[in-house]
Amino acid sequence: MATVDIKKFQVNLNPTWCPGCGDYGLLRGLQTALAKLDLDPSEIVIVSGIGCSSNLPHFIKAYGYHSLHGRALPTAQGVKMVNPRLTVIAAGGDGDGYGIGVGHLVHACRRNIDITYIVMDNQIYGLTTGQTSPTSDVGSKTKTSPDGNYEYPLNPILLAISSGATFVARTFSGEPEHMADIIVKAIQHKGFALIDDISPCVTYNKKNTYQWFKERVYKLEDIGHDPYDINQAIQRATEWEDKIPIGIFYINPDKPSYDQLDPVIREGGMFAKPEITEDEKKEILNQFL
Amino acid sequence: MSDGVVSKVSVVRKALTGAQAAAEVMRQVEPDVVAAYPITPQTPIVQEFAQFVADGLVNTEMIQVESEHSALSAVVGAAMSGARAMTATSSQGLALMWEVVAIASSMRLPIVMNIVNRAISAPLNIHCDHSDAMAIRDLGWIMLFSENPQEVYHNNIVAFRIGEHPDVFLPVAVNQDGFITSHCVEAVDVFEDSFVKNFVGEYKAPYNILDFDNPISAGEWAMPSHYFEFRVDMKKAMDRSVGVIEKVFEEFYKETGVKMDFFEAYKTEDAEIVFVVMNSTAGTIRYVVDKLREKGKKVGVIKVRVYRPFVVEKFLELIPSAKFIAVMDRALSIGTTGSPLYQDITSGLFANKRIVLVNDYIYGLGGRDFTDDDAYEMYEHAEYSLKEGISGQIVYVGLNPNLLGR
């Protein structure tokens, strides 16, 4: 990997995450991706929800808004609609995005608005110190399921594909370089991109550990997966437990994004100043003379 | 235990946090359904209870729902179907529940909900104040406040008897201070399980949408011809709850020797300056009152235990000599003359033609520490205000002016 300078996205503030938290990997991967894209902090807005991972905007140099639990996506969409030239990234955890805010995820996918949504998925509620989450595996023992969780987890990859997202990927915090490349592609993609980042909770999730994942993850690109084939994508999305694919599951380059369809956003948004030629100015003036 | 009434109930002294004290009553009452979502600082309540469920200590259906809106909705559904149902929340969780909070009371469902009081966003803050509870104060819930884990325990027991009384049929919120009460361990006298079960009694639902002999539908349209009356019915039920609360407190006292009251007065009989306070800060103020009494100051304090219904007449009886009331609000009403408790008290004074000077002391927002030093300062301000005839002032206790914007 070519070295990139991530300094311009770093802040002089130590993250509040536990040592070893998967969110450090995501932070590094995201900073690397932003540097690779040669973006300036002033061109980026990061909107988060509530949870350990939603503390992200504090730790990255860019515009940031720490919103409400589950409400990162609608807020991020509001930002994007007003100033579509900004790179808008929504971020949060599985409880935030797949639990309390899952309704917004479905509609952001459907709308295919050009933002990148990164979910740091640790399969547990970490900030409230370890309760069952919407992606907790069946049988997981947590403080709210001491004798094992018996609710089936949600499949975020399948949900995003079926809801109309046009870029759906999974990354692993244990593979930050691979992750950075995928984040670059997600941001470059014109339309809604979901990145489900496997971000192990080293404190409260005793099942889904780095080791557990390392024994299971494989890269989709290594097996010749075609992300433009929705059937293959759906097939791969159902894999979990024995083998866990990371990489890009699905890309749909043909579906226009909300930004391309909406006439105001298409022209640069409500605050964009249209270029007016001298002739056009005269023509407008003549209407009043 | 007080006043020489010998309790007939056997008691075990346990070291419990406020959260555990709430969970302990839930274990003893064994509700049919509990639905909850994690939120700091409420989480330990339902987490503790989840352990009881896993250990087979209670026969309760517990649902790990996906939000607080879903939590109270599930509880409403369960309650409508004839079940005794509970939940617990804090701050943003209560805010997200808001429309269902209104539904629960207007559907006349005697749900008991623990609220661990926490500041409202933004900015994000997980620490104690009463802004969350104050935002539901007019929605038709009975609201009890607790000074310490022991009171959390007692309030939770009586809550069922009050809300489930056929004259009332309203939900009950039991409040405690986030972290200060919810996470601090104190000695709590826990009654034997059989006493709590008997005292709370069998649940008799106000109605049951699954009753095939008496089929009903609920929550349907009420046009302008009928809606008004539903609201007034709720108000009347809240009014009737006053008599019910009196009886329940009396019975609780007879059985356990524990005295509870709407307002709990301390050294107010001859007090010229009276503090009014809710939840955990009451202990600090009582300590300061004792110190000031040693200096010959005529000062007392009233702790609000029952905030809804707010029976101001009972309050006024407790302050026969008061010339100045220092209301302590741990919430800030923005855009009117004073904060919630101040408004309740001042409008009550006016309606009862009682002229007393009153200031509103705003303290502890977002968990700002409140110490005995703050209380002495507050007293000095109150004494000065009384001397100078000042009233209606809003005073911010412990505010750092250097941090203010323009």
Side-chain angles (χ1 to χ4, degrees):
Chain A
M1 187 170 92
T3 47
V4 289
D5 186 12
I6 65 167
K7 275 203 187 76
K8 65 175 170 177
F9 299 108
Q10 287 178 326
V11 293
N12 186 22
L13 191 65
N14 287 327
T16 46
W17 300 318
C18 303
C21 175
D23 296 351
Y24 288 100
L26 184 280
L27 175 64
R28 184 82 184 180
L30 179 57
Q31 286 168 330
T32 307
L34 295 173
K36 280 186 171 186
L37 288 163
D38 202 23
L39 288 166
D40 189 79
S42 66
E43 298 168 311
I44 303 159
V45 182
I46 301 176
V47 182
S48 70
I50 297 289
C52 291
S53 54
S54 287
N55 289 329
L56 181 77
H58 296 255
F59 314 132
I60 192 159
K61 196 168 190 180
Y63 288 109
Y65 173 51
H66 196 164
S67 81
L68 285 169
H69 194 27
R71 314 305 156 200
L73 276 178
T75 316
Q77 290 173 73
V79 171
K80 185 72 184 179
M81 284 177 185
V82 171
N83 194 344
R85 284 169 299 183
L86 293 169
T87 294
V88 179
I89 295 164
D94 44 301
D96 199 74
Y98 304 151
I100 198 164
V102 74
H104 303 310
L105 172 61
V106 171
H107 290 283
C109 291
R110 176 178 73 83
R111 203 165 284 132
N112 194 31
I113 190 163
D114 185 22
I115 62 179
T116 301
Y117 184 34
I118 300 170
V119 178
M120 285 155 266
D121 188 351
N122 59 9
Q123 302 173 261
I124 199 147
Y125 286 96
L127 192 63
T128 49
T129 74
Q131 296 79 27
T132 308
S133 95
T135 50
S136 294
D137 285 340
V138 171
S140 290
K141 290 188 176 176
T142 71
K143 286 178 183 165
T144 47
S145 60
D147 53 352
N149 171 37
Y150 45 77
E151 287 188 47
Y152 280 81
L154 176 147
N155 185 326
I157 306 292
L158 277 181
L159 179 67
I161 295 171
S162 63
S163 300
T166 50
F167 186 103
V168 184
R170 181 185 285 134
T171 57
F172 174 36
S173 284
E175 297 262 6
E177 289 182 22
H178 178 253
M179 178 203 293
D181 290 340
I182 288 176
I183 296 175
V184 166
K185 286 174 184 156
I187 292 173
Q188 284 170 336
H189 174 76
K190 194 76 191 147
F192 185 80
L194 172 74
I195 297 174
D196 179 61
D197 175 48
I198 297 169
S199 179
C201 175
V202 295
T203 305
Y204 297 110
N205 191 333
K206 301 298 180 199
K207 185 202 166 190
N208 310 95
T209 60
Y210 278 105
Q211 196 55 38
W212 190 86
F213 283 111
K214 275 183 178 160
E215 288 161 10
R216 287 165 175 79
V217 295
Y218 74 92
K219 289 173 186 157
L220 284 167
E221 55 271 29
D222 290 349
I223 58 149
H225 172 71
D226 177 9
Y228 299 96
D229 180 346
I230 194 167
N231 293 317
Q232 278 191 36
I234 290 169
Q235 184 66 35
R236 291 295 168 193
T238 58
E239 292 179 9
W240 189 261
E241 202 67 38
D242 297 330
K243 290 180 88 181
I244 299 170
I246 58 172
I248 302 167
F249 285 84
Y250 181 58
I251 303 172
N252 179 351
D254 302 324
K255 185 176 163 184
S257 72
Y258 185 88
D259 331 44
Q260 290 162 332
L261 295 170
D262 184 280
V264 176
I265 301 176
R266 198 170 52 211
E267 300 298 328
M270 59 185 70
F271 295 135
K273 292 191 179 74
E275 296 285 326
I276 303 174
T277 62
E278 285 304 314
D279 285 349
E280 282 170 334
K281 275 183 196 166
K282 271 181 199 157
E283 198 181 311
I284 293 166
L285 268 175
N286 284 337
Q287 289 176 19
F288 297 97
L289 295 173
Chain B
M1 306 296 145
S2 55
D3 273 26
V5 170
V6 181
S7 169
K8 290 177 268 181
V9 188
S10 79
V11 164
V12 178
R13 183 159 291 185
K14 292 186 179 180
L16 298 177
T17 63
Q20 288 172 319
E24 192 70 0
V25 180
M26 291 169 78
R27 180 186 65 74
Q28 295 182 310
V29 171
E30 222 179 320
D32 301 304
V33 174
V34 169
Y37 188 79
I39 185 165
T40 305
Q42 172 284 124
T43 315
I45 297 180
V46 285
Q47 189 169 280
E48 182 91 358
F49 188 72
Q51 188 68 50
F52 296 149
V53 175
D55 293 345
L57 297 176
V58 288
N59 189 16
T60 298
E61 277 298 320
M62 191 159 176
I63 322 167
Q64 317 285 343
V65 287
E66 62 284 354
S67 75
E68 289 86 357
H69 195 280
S70 318
L72 192 54
S73 294
V75 164
V76 161
M80 263 197 297
S81 311
R84 183 181 264 152
M86 296 184 76
T87 186
T89 194
S90 291
S91 181
Q92 301 307 119
L94 186 62
L96 183 61
M97 274 182 185
W98 198 89
E99 64 171 340
V100 198
V101 172
I103 290 282
S105 52
S106 47
M107 298 287 288
R108 307 294 298 277
L109 298 168
I111 293 157
V112 175
M113 170 162 72
N114 275 274
I115 302 175
V116 183
N117 302 122
R118 168 185 144 181
I120 290 278
S121 287
L124 174 56
N125 180 300
I126 57 170
H127 296 280
C128 175
D129 70 34
H130 302 159
S131 312
D132 54 0
M134 290 306 164
I136 66 157
R137 69 188 189 274
D138 296 334
L139 292 184
W141 283 58
I142 302 217
M143 296 178 76
L144 309 178
F145 281 75
S146 326
E147 182 182 331
N148 49 38
Q150 183 71 73
E151 289 193 1
V152 170
Y153 182 74
H154 292 153
N155 281 347
N156 266 284
I157 296 171
V158 296
F160 294 93
R161 286 288 302 276
I162 298 165
E164 293 173 8
H165 194 286
D167 287 347
V168 181
F169 283 144
L170 286 173
V172 185
V174 179
N175 292 269
Q176 60 175 296
D177 279 350
F179 293 109
I180 302 164
T181 307
S182 65
H183 284 59
C184 289
V185 177
E186 284 191 21
V188 177
D189 287 335
V190 174
F191 303 125
E192 57 194 313
D193 291 357
S194 60
F195 164 74
V196 177
K197 278 202 168 61
N198 287 332
F199 186 85
V200 169
E202 279 285 305
Y203 180 58
K204 290 190 188 71
Y207 54 89
N208 184 343
I209 55 167
L210 302 182
D211 181 350
F212 296 121
D213 296 328
N214 301 292
I216 58 158
S217 54
E220 308 292 347
W221 284 93
M223 287 315 210
S225 56
H226 287 76
Y227 179 88
F228 202 153
E229 286 71 21
F230 279 103
R231 307 313 286 183
V232 175
D233 273 344
M234 276 171 71
K235 166 85 168 83
K236 284 177 179 288
M238 183 64 86
D239 292 346
R240 285 194 299 271
S241 77
V242 176
V244 172
I245 294 168
E246 283 170 350
K247 281 192 188 117
V248 172
F249 282 177
E250 199 182 314
E251 194 183 325
F252 193 70
Y253 174 59
K254 279 182 184 156
E255 297 274 340
T256 66
V258 175
K259 254 191 175 169
M260 296 171 74
D261 214 333
F262 290 74
F263 301 98
E264 294 172 8
Y266 185 71
K267 301 190 177 174
T268 57
E269 302 82 8
D270 64 339
E272 293 181 355
I273 293 177
V274 176
F275 293 107
V276 190
V277 66
M278 297 164 84
N279 272 5
S280 65
T281 312
T284 312
I285 301 296
R286 270 201 308 278
Y287 169 80
V288 167
V289 163
D290 282 345
K291 294 287 171 194
L292 291 167
R293 281 274 171 183
E294 283 169 16
K295 292 179 187 164
K297 306 290 187 186
K298 288 187 171 177
V299 57
V301 56
I302 288 183
K303 177 177 77 191
V304 182
R305 184 100 179 224
V306 182
Y307 180 62
R308 287 289 180 270
F310 194 85
V311 192
V312 79
E313 292 75 16
K314 287 183 185 289
F315 174 84
L316 296 179
E317 282 169 15
L318 298 170
I319 52 161
S321 318
K323 292 178 181 163
F324 186 91
I325 301 175
V327 178
M328 295 179 66
D329 265 298
R330 201 164 189 163
L332 181 60
S333 290
I334 295 162
T336 183
T337 48
S339 289
L341 189 54
Y342 174 90
Q343 290 180 29
D344 286 317
I345 289 169
T346 49
S347 63
L349 288 166
F350 183 80
N352 287 277
K353 297 175 188 164
R354 181 87 184 266
I355 303 302
V356 183
L357 307 179
V358 193
N359 278 355
D360 195 6
Y361 294 87
I362 312 294
Y363 76 103
L365 299 189
R368 177 67 50 90
D369 206 11
F370 181 89
T371 65
D372 52 343
D373 284 341
D374 295 315
Y376 292 124
E377 248 177 63
M378 222 174 69
Y379 176 78
E380 276 167 27
H381 189 278
E383 204 176 40
Y384 170 80
S385 298
L386 174 58
K387 195 173 131 228
E388 298 294 323
I390 295 167
S391 186
Q393 236 183 40
I394 297 170
V395 186
Y396 304 107
V397 182
L399 188 76
N400 180 356
N402 298 326
L403 289 177
L404 289 172
R406 75 190 170 107

